[in-house]
């Protein structure tokens, strides 16, 4: 990718006060997506050969993990300590905490196991806000319509109406937990409009919405008397009953010493988040270190049906440099506030508030057609024109985008003076485990909430719906999992693993790769058996 | 309340500070009839001779530094009052296993006061602060009673005359914090603030309490002064064994038959202290280790039994005499647990000013607790060792150094115990 | 494009920087964060890493530069020649216990705070917390505000808190400032955030539900 305008030349050409020509006429969205969006790259999608989604399309690298060998077999379970608990939540982000709190509120004893530290998640980095239809001219119905339209009408209307309908109550619950939001002078919750929204609906806490949410939920979980937390304890396998058809627990390991622990439970809630750290199609990612798609692998292996495995959200504005922030986001809120995208020639090329997939494809088009700004052979991008925004609304960046300013200040960059070089970055897994309105997967006893689940966002997620989803469905699943009143497992087995191994052998697939991945290769030095 | 200290003076061992005739409490007349006040009379006549005598006696700082006392004295003597000069007699004594100063203050308060007054005359100090651990109520009561008698006595009047200005004596209960025993921290407390150690320079001798030249000496150091003045440097030097001078109050505790404070010649071997004076180990168990210094120093093990317990001999072994505290551990006692206890003490005692010390000791303590309770991992042990490499010399005072020295030494002598305790 | 986020600076011109991480000698490139350097140098057991952008508070380190030791976050600290770095273990379990749902009344919240965080009024002003905070929060002042019952202002002081809990480790009085800050923020929202637009919409939805009771089985179960 050596095309593009060299960085120095582009910088010299850049003027914050230059006149910007209006956008060229209407873009053919479908052609743009089909030509430039990474989901449509040739060779990036394969058909799954085994499992509940056999015959379905799946991103190539993800397919390799879904059809991989497990880490353990029954011999490994002998002698491992066993813990019995009502509800096991796997994942310590927003969805996991919401699920654990809801289950505990409903009287369950809860174990929350998380791969890294409680709160290490994508939730904590969500800057934009949370959608909820609370403005007088807004309605739950409009929220539903926007969400379905944004997802290219692939989303499940039942799930979407559950999500949108929960919006106001979710805010109520969060405020009760002690989460703060920005207010207007009259005390209303302040709302913003962002990509794909027909009206302002994005409630926020400056640009630290995810951090504010996560630290409140984290504290609520730590303080809750009925919730036990195990950190540095990723799940390596789920446990099934004798016939391999019901989830009755999980096997956890320890990042510190590799010891396996068996948890037997009535229900398991997967809240493991996304998979950006698999760096699909070679893209950088905005995700936290633990986002390696473990939940998808575990759910698929025990027989859960997944959906939209070939659809991922590449956030349009990932930073290109400084290197330690490569792939990290500049929140869409900056564009919502009026920042333009400008190519290396100083031209606008897309309506900045189009859905993320469209904006992303447009940036990739600019780069591949030589109008991008080239840093070196591997890196190019386009300008996010923050200095122009600062000229139009002095002080706005410092006041409303504290997080962005803090992060760039560490690297000696001032977005008020220099435009930011951005490039699409792997941000979100649109699909995931198929669930019902209670977050139940197709496997009894197994729930999935948050990014690991699918069906809500169709093939594209709107900003602010992820934070809503994790609380809405986290609470739904927590309550439903507690309501499951069978007597708990009689026997815990790895029968589903045996079944998958037979299927893999039958399909002639190699069992050389093992999954889940747990940590990306470059960080795997600390992991138990690598 | 029964006395805490079991004292077994051994026949043939010269008792100076703890001589039975001097252990008269706050009774001034009994103290004077046993020879009290003689040194002061000499000092009043010839204050300049005191410093020289102390120098010849090679009196060391007995609070743990082992620094020659006369060097600090000389520095303060050379300064002009601004407008005062201070002597802080440090009886903060809060380190685990150390309980000698409380005995001197409680049973020989006049000896300590006379030592302080003689010192004041020698170096021109006009304000003396007896800085005492606030929890030692009996020591405080004895000192209070003794000081009241001094205020009314001719001795103080003579001293003031010799000094040429009023000599003021003050009893000041400390903060109850271990760190308050650190020399610059004690000055902060005297000035009415939390005892945070100060950075050096300036050194106390130049700018100490309220910016005045200040000498800070341990109670035991000061208590020796009258005897050096009264009986001479030669006599004092002869009390010690080998090249060491004077006597030392060793605080012996732990798994021994007779714990207590023992006044023995400086340089007495560990073997003699434990097996003769301490009566040997409980149930005749073998010796495993000795925590020295209070206990911010390296461990001694059975191979060190014949080392002379004086500053220089122990330093040559990479150890430290410290306050003379010897906490004896017998075979069968877990080292990890004991070290964890002491590190917890340091973590609680760190004043908070230096992140290196507070965050360092807090993490060391936490990791040790994890290892001790069977939850520790190899990574935890590695982190501990890395902290030990990184932290020394990074604090404003020496607390972090002591905490590291103790842990480092435990790793060195008992590596297997740490490994075996891992999860 | 790169296969990871972290190798962007691997070009040859970047100067080599020698440092020690967790006791191992590491050669890194200029401009690398300490997390990048640890991975680059193959340092094992570096799993206390999360967001890589300074908001999750996981990658807590102590760093020695000459005779000075500082604490901070590895993803926000850059390599320097000769520094020694140790990744710290996760923070210990909290010492103070409360559940916001236990508070029925905002009028006694000061008393409740004093019960839960008695140490907060014993600050000795050592500034250890201020020095430890990687976000430059005026922690000591925030604690003082909370101890004085000014929870809204205290919470505002902690706005940028990422819950690394380094201030907790740095506090000799065991005040747990990070949790004091979060307590302050939480009670402020819990008792004082009453937005009319949200309340109005909740009321509309409540009325709607009264008119058309839900058929959802789960909700029925919950009402039992």
């Amino acid at each position: 990718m050596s095309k593009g305008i060299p960085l120095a030349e582009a910088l010299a050409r850049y003027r914050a006060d230059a006149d910007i020509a209006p956008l060229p006429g209407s873009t053919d969205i479908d052609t743009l997506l089909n030509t430039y969006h990474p989901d449509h790259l040739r060779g990036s999608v394969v058909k799954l050969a085994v499992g509940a989604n056999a015959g379905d399309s799946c991103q190539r690298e993800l397919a390799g993990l879904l059809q991989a060998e497990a880490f353990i077999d029954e011999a490994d379970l002998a002698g491992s300590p066993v813990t019995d608990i009502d509800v096991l939540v796997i994942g310590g982000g927003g969805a996991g905490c919401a699920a654990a709190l809801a289950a505990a509120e409903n009287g369950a004893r809860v174990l929350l196991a998380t791969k890294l530290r409680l709160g290490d998640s994508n939730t904590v980095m969500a800057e934009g806000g949370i959608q909820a239809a609370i403005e007088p001219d807004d309605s739950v119905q409009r929220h539903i319509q926007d969400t379905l339209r944004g997802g290219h009408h692939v989303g499940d209307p039942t799930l979407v109406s559950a999500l949108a309908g929960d919006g106001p109550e979710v805010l109520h619950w969060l405020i009760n937990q002690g989460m703060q939001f920005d207010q207007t002078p009259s005390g209303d919750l302040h709302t913003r409009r962002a990509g794909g929204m027909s009206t302002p609906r994005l409630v926020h806490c400056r640009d630290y919405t995810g951090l504010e949410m996560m630290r409140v939920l984290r504290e609520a979980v730590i303080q809750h008397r009925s919730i036990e937390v195990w950190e540095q304890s990723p799940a390596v396998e789920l446990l099934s009953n004798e016939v391999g058809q019901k989830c009755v627990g999980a096997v956890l390991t320890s990042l510190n010493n590799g010891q396996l622990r068996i948890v037997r439970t009535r229900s398991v809630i997967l809240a493991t988040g996304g998979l950006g750290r698999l760096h699909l199609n070679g893209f950088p990612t905005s995700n936290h270190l633990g986002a390696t798609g473990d939940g998808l692998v575990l759910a698929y292996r025990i027989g859960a049906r997944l959906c939209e495995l070939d659809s991922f959200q590449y956030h349009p504005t990932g930073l290109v440099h400084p290197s330690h922030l490569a792939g990290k986001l500049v929140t869409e809120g900056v564009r919502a506030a009026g920042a333009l995208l400008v190519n290396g020639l100083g031209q606008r090329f897309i309506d900045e508030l189009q859905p993320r997939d469209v904006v992303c494809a447009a940036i990739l088009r600019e780069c591949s057609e030589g109008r991008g700004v080239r840093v070196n052979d591997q890196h190019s991008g386009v300008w996010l024109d923050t200095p122009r925004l600062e000229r139009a609304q002095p002080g706005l960046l410092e006041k409303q985008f504290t997080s962005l300013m803090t992060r760039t200040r560490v690297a000696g960059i001032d977005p008020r003076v220099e435009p930011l070089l951005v490039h699409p970055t792997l941000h979100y897994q649109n699909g995931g485990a198929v669930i019902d309105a209670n977050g139940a997967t197709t496997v009894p006893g197994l729930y999935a909430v948050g990014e690991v689940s699918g069906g809500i966002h169709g093939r594209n997620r709107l900003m602010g719906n992820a934070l809503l989803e994790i609380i809405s469905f986290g609470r739904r699943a927590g309550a439903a999992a507690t309501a499951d009143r069978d007597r708990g497992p009689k026997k815990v087995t790895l029968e589903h693993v045996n079944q998958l191994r037979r299927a893999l052998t039958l399909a002639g697939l190699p069992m050389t790769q093992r999954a889940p991945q747990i940590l990306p290769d470059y960080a795997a030095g600390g992991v138990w058996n690598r | 309340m029964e006395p805490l200290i079991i004292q077994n003076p051994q026949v043939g061992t010269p008792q100076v500070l703890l001589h039975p005739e001097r252990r008269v409490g706050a009774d001034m007349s009994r103290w004077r009839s046993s020879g009290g006040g003689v040194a002061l009379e000499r000092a009043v006549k010839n204050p300049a001779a005191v410093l020289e005598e102390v120098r010849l006696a090679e009196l060391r700082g007995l609070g743990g530094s082992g620094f020659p006392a006369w060097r600090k004295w000389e520095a303060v003597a050379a300064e002009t009052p601004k407008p005062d000069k201070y002597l802080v007699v440090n009886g903060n004594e809060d380190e685990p296993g150390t309980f000698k100063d409380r005995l001197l203050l409680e049973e020989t308060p006049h000896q300590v006061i006379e030592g302080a007054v003689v010192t004041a005359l020698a170096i021109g100090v006009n304000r003396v602060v007896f800085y005492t651990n606030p929890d030692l109520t009996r020591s405080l009561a004895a000192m209070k009673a003794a000081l009241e008698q001094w205020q009314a006595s001719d001795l103080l009047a003579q001293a003031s005359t010799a000094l040429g200005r009023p000599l003021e004596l003050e009893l000041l209960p400390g903060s109850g914090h271990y760190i308050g025993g650190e020399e610059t921290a004690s000055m902060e407390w005297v000035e009415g603030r939390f005892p945070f150690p100060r950075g050096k320079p300036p050194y106390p001798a130049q700018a100490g309490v309220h910016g005045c030249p200040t000498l800070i000496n341990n109670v035991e150091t000061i208590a020796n002064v009258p005897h050096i003045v009264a009986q001479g440097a030669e006599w004092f030097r002869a009390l010690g064994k080998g090249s060491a001078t004077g006597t030392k109050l060793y605080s012996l505790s732990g798994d021994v038959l007779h714990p207590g404070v023992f006044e023995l010649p400086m340089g007495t071997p560990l073997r003699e202290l434990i097996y003769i004076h301490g009566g040997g180990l409980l149930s005749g168990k073998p010796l495993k280790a000795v925590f020295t210094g209070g206990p911010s120093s390296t461990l001694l093990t059975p191979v060190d039994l014949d080392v002379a317990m004086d500053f220089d001999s122990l330093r040559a072994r990479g150890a430290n005499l410290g306050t003379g505290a010897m906490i004896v551990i017998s075979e069968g006692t877990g080292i990890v647990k004991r070290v964890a206890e002491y590190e917890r003490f340091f973590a609680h005692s760190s004043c908070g000013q230096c992140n290196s010390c507070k965050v360092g000791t807090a993490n060391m303590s936490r990791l040790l607790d994890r290892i001790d309770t069977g939850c520790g991992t190899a990574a935890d042990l590695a982190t501990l060792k890395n902290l030990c490499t990184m932290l020394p010399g990074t604090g404003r005072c020496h607390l972090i150094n002591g905490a590291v020295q103790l842990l480092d030494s435990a790793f060195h002598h008992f590596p297997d115990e740490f490994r075996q305790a891992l999860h | 494009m790169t296969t990871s986020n972290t190798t962007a600076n691997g070009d040859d011109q970047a100067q080599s920087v020698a440092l020690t991480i967790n006791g191992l000698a590491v050669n890194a490139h200029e401009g690398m964060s300490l997390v990048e350097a640890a991975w680059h140098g193959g340092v094992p057991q570096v799993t206390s890493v999360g967001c890589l952008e300074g908001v999750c508070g996981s990658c807590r380190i102590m760093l020695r530069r000459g005779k000075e030791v500082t604490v901070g976050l590895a993803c926000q600290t850059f390599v320097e020649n000769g520094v020694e770095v140790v990744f710290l273990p996760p923070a210990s379990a909290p010492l103070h216990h409360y559940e916001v749902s236990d508070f029925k009344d905002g009028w006694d919240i000061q008393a409740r705070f004093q019960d839960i965080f008695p140490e907060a009024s014993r600050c000795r002003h050592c500034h250890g917390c201020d020095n430890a905070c990687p976000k430059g929060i005026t922690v000591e002042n925030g604690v003082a505000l909370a101890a004085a019952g000014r929870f809204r202002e205290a919470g505002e002081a902690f706005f940028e808190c990422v819950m690394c809990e380094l201030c907790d480790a740095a506090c000799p009085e065991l005040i747990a400032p990070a949790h004091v800050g979060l307590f302050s923020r939480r009670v402020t929202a819990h008792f004082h955030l009453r937005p009319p637009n949200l309340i109005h919409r909740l009321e509309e939805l409540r009325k709607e539900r009264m008119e058309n009771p839900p058929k959802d089985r789960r909700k029925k179960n919950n009402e039992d």
Side-chain angles (χ1 to χ4, degrees):
Chain A
M1 201 200 290
S2 54
K3 284 191 285 186
I5 296 143
L7 178 63
E9 191 186 323
L11 256 180
R13 190 188 304 214
Y14 170 81
R15 291 274 178 280
D17 55 355
D19 287 332
I20 294 251
L23 277 174
S26 67
T27 318
D28 177 355
I29 302 285
D30 284 343
T31 311
L32 181 66
L33 286 175
N34 283 330
T35 318
Y36 292 104
H37 196 278
D39 287 351
H40 301 276
L41 288 178
R42 199 199 307 262
S44 78
V45 172
V46 297
K47 298 279 186 212
L48 288 168
V50 301
N53 289 72
D56 290 354
S57 296
C58 178
Q59 200 280 342
R60 182 175 41 81
E61 289 146 297
L62 176 59
L65 292 177
L66 293 181
Q67 303 180 129
E69 165 69 313
F71 274 110
I72 57 168
D73 49 38
E74 261 142 19
D76 295 315
L77 299 185
S80 296
V82 179
T83 301
D84 286 297
I85 200 90
D86 295 340
V87 173
L88 169 66
V89 178
I90 303 176
C97 288
L101 287 167
E105 281 167 21
N106 283 280
R109 287 176 309 127
V110 182
L111 173 61
L112 189 156
T114 182
K115 184 193 297 183
L116 299 168
R117 177 178 181 245
L118 184 65
D120 280 10
S121 59
N122 289 340
T123 304
V124 80
M125 291 184 280
E127 299 184 345
I130 174 167
Q131 283 204 48
I134 56 164
E135 293 293 15
D137 55 351
D138 196 6
S139 69
V140 168
Q141 200 52 42
R142 286 183 77 171
H143 188 174
I144 296 171
Q145 282 161 4
D146 287 349
T147 304
L148 286 170
R149 190 186 317 112
H152 303 293
H153 297 285
V154 180
D156 178 343
T158 318
L159 300 183
V160 174
S161 55
L163 173 85
D166 280 354
E169 185 48 42
V170 160
L171 295 186
H172 180 202
W173 183 78
L174 286 170
I175 290 170
N176 257 336
Q177 293 295 326
M179 177 170 173
Q180 298 191 7
F181 293 99
D182 281 11
Q183 289 170 276
T184 65
S186 62
D188 281 341
L189 293 184
H190 184 260
T191 54
R192 286 178 185 149
R193 184 182 165 198
M197 293 174 205
S198 58
T199 182
R201 191 183 295 131
L202 195 65
V203 181
H204 60 99
C205 180
R206 271 176 262 180
D207 63 341
Y208 278 118
T209 316
L211 169 62
E212 169 71 358
M213 178 186 283
M214 194 67 247
R215 61 192 174 195
V216 167
L217 294 182
R218 179 177 186 273
E219 181 81 349
V221 164
I222 291 173
Q223 294 287 359
H224 204 292
R225 297 170 188 101
S226 311
I227 305 174
E228 188 176 338
V229 178
W230 291 1
E231 296 185 329
Q232 304 265 309
S233 301
V236 288
E237 197 54 73
L238 295 173
L239 290 164
S240 55
N241 64 1
E242 298 93 320
V243 287
Q245 282 164 1
K246 180 180 188 308
C247 179
V248 293
V251 181
L252 309 176
T253 186
S254 157
L255 287 187
N256 296 322
N257 60 11
Q259 197 200 8
L260 295 177
R261 288 191 284 191
I262 295 169
V263 179
R264 290 190 302 203
T265 174
R266 291 203 302 257
S267 31
V268 173
I269 301 176
L270 283 177
T272 50
L275 48 56
R277 288 282 155 187
L278 298 178
H279 297 286
L280 302 182
N281 303 319
F283 269 77
T285 185
S286 61
N287 286 187
H288 83 111
L289 185 68
T292 51
D294 300 359
L296 288 181
V297 171
L298 300 182
Y300 196 66
R301 203 179 274 156
I302 204 170
R305 193 170 161 71
L306 313 179
C307 65
E308 319 308 339
L309 296 172
D310 53 351
S311 173
F312 299 88
Q313 186 169 83
Y314 293 81
H315 192 290
T317 53
L319 286 166
V320 176
H321 73 127
S323 80
H324 78 284
L325 288 175
K328 290 302 184 173
L329 292 194
V330 180
T331 173
E332 187 172 327
V334 178
R335 277 177 289 141
L340 303 179
L341 288 169
V342 178
N343 65 20
L345 303 170
Q347 304 159 331
R348 272 183 86 192
F349 52 89
I350 188 71
D351 171 4
E352 288 78 4
L353 295 183
Q354 285 276 336
R356 288 175 175 177
D357 52 350
V358 175
V359 178
C360 161
I363 296 174
L364 293 172
R365 179 191 63 200
E366 295 305 298
C367 291
S368 90
E369 291 180 358
R371 294 186 297 275
V373 179
R374 188 163 63 88
V375 180
N376 55 33
D377 285 352
Q378 288 105 39
H379 299 93
S380 64
V382 298
W383 297 126
L384 179 64
D385 198 350
T386 42
R388 183 182 298 274
L389 178 65
E390 178 69 14
R391 281 172 59 85
Q393 301 179 60
L396 179 86
L397 284 167
E398 187 64 45
K399 188 160 153 275
Q400 284 201 20
F401 300 100
T402 329
S403 164
L404 173 67
M405 296 299 287
T406 309
R407 280 188 294 150
T408 48
R409 190 177 302 124
V410 170
I413 293 173
D414 186 350
R416 293 170 301 186
V417 181
E418 269 180 78
L420 296 168
L421 194 59
V422 295
H423 182 275
T425 181
L426 181 54
H427 184 51
Y428 194 81
Q429 152 197 316
N430 292 320
V434 172
I435 54 168
D436 67 12
N438 285 332
T441 67
T442 56
V443 173
L446 182 65
Y447 295 78
V449 292
E451 194 170 345
V452 69
S453 71
I456 295 173
H457 309 295
R459 295 182 72 81
N460 181 53
R461 177 177 63 79
L462 298 188
M463 177 186 196
N465 268 347
L467 286 189
L468 175 57
E469 174 197 0
I470 59 177
I471 307 300
S472 160
F473 280 83
R475 290 181 44 71
R476 283 167 173 265
T482 311
D484 274 355
R485 288 283 177 200
D486 72 10
R487 284 200 301 275
K490 285 203 239 13
K491 196 169 176 207
V492 294
T493 75
L494 290 176
E495 182 53 29
H496 64 287
V497 176
N498 302 336
Q499 288 172 7
L500 182 82
R501 284 188 178 127
R502 285 195 285 273
L504 287 172
T505 313
L506 186 63
L509 289 170
M511 289 198 282
T512 44
Q513 188 179 7
R514 284 175 189 260
Q517 167 131 15
I518 302 197
L519 284 177
D521 290 336
Y522 48 82
V527 186
W528 46 300
N529 60 351
R530 308 188 182 201
Chain B
M1 200 159 62
E2 286 303 304
L4 288 166
I5 311 301
I6 305 163
Q7 175 62 22
N8 304 289
Q10 295 296 309
V11 179
T13 304
Q15 298 289 292
V16 180
L17 302 181
L18 294 183
H19 194 283
E21 282 180 24
R22 298 195 180 105
R23 297 167 71 171
V24 295
D27 187 333
M28 197 169 202
S29 54
R30 277 184 66 195
W31 169 69
R32 291 197 74 158
S33 65
S34 70
V38 173
L40 181 54
E41 278 165 28
R42 288 201 190 166
V44 164
K45 284 183 196 129
N46 188 2
V50 175
L51 178 54
E52 180 60 10
E53 206 65 31
V54 165
R55 189 179 70 79
L56 291 172
E58 292 180 40
L59 176 65
R60 314 275 286 253
L62 300 175
S65 71
F67 192 73
W70 67 272
R71 303 254 300 262
K72 287 209 294 195
W73 288 28
E74 194 177 55
V76 176
E79 297 287 324
T80 47
K82 297 173 192 163
D84 298 318
K85 273 195 200 181
Y86 278 87
L87 165 62
V88 178
V89 181
N90 190 348
N92 192 70
E93 191 169 70
D94 201 41
E95 41 283 84
T98 307
F99 37 85
K100 61 184 179 65
D101 294 341
R102 69 165 75 175
L103 191 68
L104 291 174
L105 293 169
E106 182 182 335
E107 300 202 356
T108 72
H110 293 293
Q111 172 175 264
V112 177
I113 297 167
E114 184 184 12
V117 172
V118 169
T119 308
L121 289 180
I123 60 175
V125 158
N126 66 316
R127 285 177 176 269
V128 178
V129 180
F130 296 94
Y131 175 73
T132 308
N133 187 314
D135 301 323
L136 302 179
T137 46
R138 291 199 303 216
S139 303
L140 277 170
M143 281 299 288
K144 185 164 177 282
L147 279 169
E148 279 164 8
Q149 297 167 57
W150 272 76
Q151 303 293 356
S153 79
D154 57 325
L155 290 175
L156 186 58
Q158 286 170 28
S160 294
T161 311
L163 192 64
R165 62 193 294 195
L167 177 59
E168 293 176 34
L169 309 180
E170 182 196 353
L171 178 64
L172 179 70
S175 57
H177 290 276
Y178 165 73
I179 197 66
E182 200 276 340
E183 90 173 346
T184 56
S186 70
M187 304 191 304
E188 287 286 306
W189 184 256
V190 173
E191 291 183 21
R193 289 187 297 273
F194 186 91
F196 289 121
R198 297 179 184 173
K200 293 180 198 169
Y203 290 90
Q206 282 84 48
V209 176
H210 295 302
C212 305
T214 302
L215 173 70
I216 297 145
N217 269 149
N218 176 252
V219 166
E220 187 184 352
T221 315
I222 291 294
N224 272 299
V225 172
H227 307 293
I228 292 170
V229 172
Q231 309 199 50
E234 271 316 305
W235 164 86
F236 184 80
R237 294 171 61 90
L239 288 171
K241 287 199 176 175
S243 59
T245 69
T247 63
K248 177 81 190 91
L249 303 190
Y250 295 101
S251 306
L252 181 66
S253 64
D255 303 341
V256 288
L257 200 54
H258 304 303
V261 176
F262 298 92
E263 181 173 19
L264 300 173
M266 180 70 99
T268 300
L270 185 60
R271 186 187 301 276
E272 192 185 321
L273 175 67
I274 294 176
Y275 289 95
I276 297 177
H277 306 289
L281 274 74
L282 288 171
S283 316
K285 281 187 183 173
L287 173 70
K288 182 169 182 177
V290 179
F291 289 93
T292 64
S296 55
S297 182
T298 47
L299 293 174
L300 299 177
T301 56
V303 299
D304 300 311
L305 270 173
D306 294 312
V307 175
M309 289 189 297
D310 60 64
F311 290 108
D312 300 333
S313 307
L314 281 168
R315 204 160 285 163
R317 299 288 287 233
N320 224 317
L321 178 59
T323 59
M326 301 285 153
I327 305 172
V328 177
I329 305 299
S330 59
E331 278 299 347
T333 307
I335 285 291
V336 181
K337 182 168 218 67
R338 298 307 290 263
V339 172
E341 280 169 17
Y342 295 138
E343 293 296 344
R344 197 177 311 136
F345 168 80
F346 290 124
H348 281 296
S349 302
S350 174
C351 78
Q353 282 189 120
C354 308
N355 283 168
S356 64
C357 172
K358 182 68 192 72
V359 179
T361 52
N363 275 288
M364 280 157 62
S365 164
R366 182 166 142 62
L367 289 165
L368 279 166
D369 281 344
R370 264 160 64 162
I371 293 172
D372 179 44
T373 52
C375 308
T377 64
D380 291 339
L381 189 55
T383 305
L384 268 178
K385 290 184 174 169
N386 290 329
L387 288 173
C388 283
T389 313
M390 170 195 249
L391 294 174
T394 60
R396 188 172 273 201
C397 73
H398 286 292
L399 192 144
I400 185 64
N401 301 350
V404 167
Q405 209 172 19
L406 168 65
L407 182 56
D408 234 357
S409 158
F411 283 149
H412 174 75
H413 289 297
F414 302 98
D416 294 344
E417 282 198 40
F418 286 90
R419 269 201 296 276
Q420 283 156 10
L422 295 183
H423 187 72
Chain C
M1 277 174 232
T2 59
T3 49
S4 87
N5 286 2
T6 62
T7 52
N9 215 2
D11 48 294
D12 299 333
Q13 304 100 305
Q15 257 185 306
S16 191
V17 178
L19 66 163
T20 310
I21 301 180
N22 285 1
L24 294 179
V26 168
N27 276 305
H29 299 294
E30 221 165 62
M32 276 185 170
S33 73
L34 293 176
V35 173
E36 290 176 283
W39 289 341
H40 179 78
V43 179
Q45 294 288 353
V46 179
T47 54
S48 53
V49 173
C51 72
L52 296 163
E53 58 179 67
V55 293
C56 79
S58 277
C59 53
R60 312 166 345 134
I61 46 151
M62 292 188 93
L63 179 145
R64 178 171 180 155
R65 195 186 278 112
K67 284 210 151 191
E68 181 205 21
V69 164
T70 51
V71 297
L73 298 177
C75 73
Q76 302 290 290
T77 313
F78 299 94
V79 294
E80 280 171 61
N81 253 320
V83 296
E84 272 179 77
V85 178
V86 172
F87 277 78
L88 292 175
S92 42
L95 299 166
H96 305 87
H97 299 283
Y98 71 97
E99 284 183 25
V100 167
S101 57
D102 292 347
F103 305 143
K104 301 295 177 227
D105 181 0
W107 284 97
D108 69 351
I109 198 64
Q110 252 194 70
R112 301 300 298 272
F113 174 79
Q114 301 293 352
D115 291 345
I116 298 160
F117 294 99
E119 302 89 351
S121 28
R122 296 209 283 268
C123 174
R124 58 171 79 155
H125 305 288
C126 66
H127 313 314
C129 52
D130 291 349
N131 295 334
C133 181
K135 295 286 160 181
I137 294 172
T138 52
V139 183
E140 212 174 274
N141 181 45
V143 169
L145 286 167
R150 310 194 69 86
F151 296 114
R152 183 184 297 274
E153 292 156 81
E156 209 41 50
F158 282 94
F159 181 73
E160 292 218 37
C161 173
V162 296
M163 295 308 284
C164 66
E165 293 164 335
L166 280 167
C167 56
D168 294 7
C171 179
E173 294 285 359
L174 306 179
I175 291 172
H179 295 273
V180 167
L182 205 44
F183 175 96
S184 304
R185 292 190 64 79
R186 292 180 77 193
V187 296
T188 302
H190 184 78
F191 286 117
H192 303 295
L193 189 53
R194 294 290 181 269
N197 55 352
L198 173 61
I199 292 171
H200 182 73
R201 180 53 44 85
L202 286 168
E203 182 59 14
E204 275 180 3
L205 293 173
R206 190 186 66 84
K207 280 189 194 144
E208 227 170 83
R209 265 200 309 275
M210 300 257 291
E211 284 154 26
N212 318 297
K215 294 178 196 101
D216 186 347
R217 192 172 56 84
R218 180 185 67 84
K219 285 187 179 157
K220 226 183 256 168
N221 279 350
N222 282 356
E223 278 159 19
D224 283 351

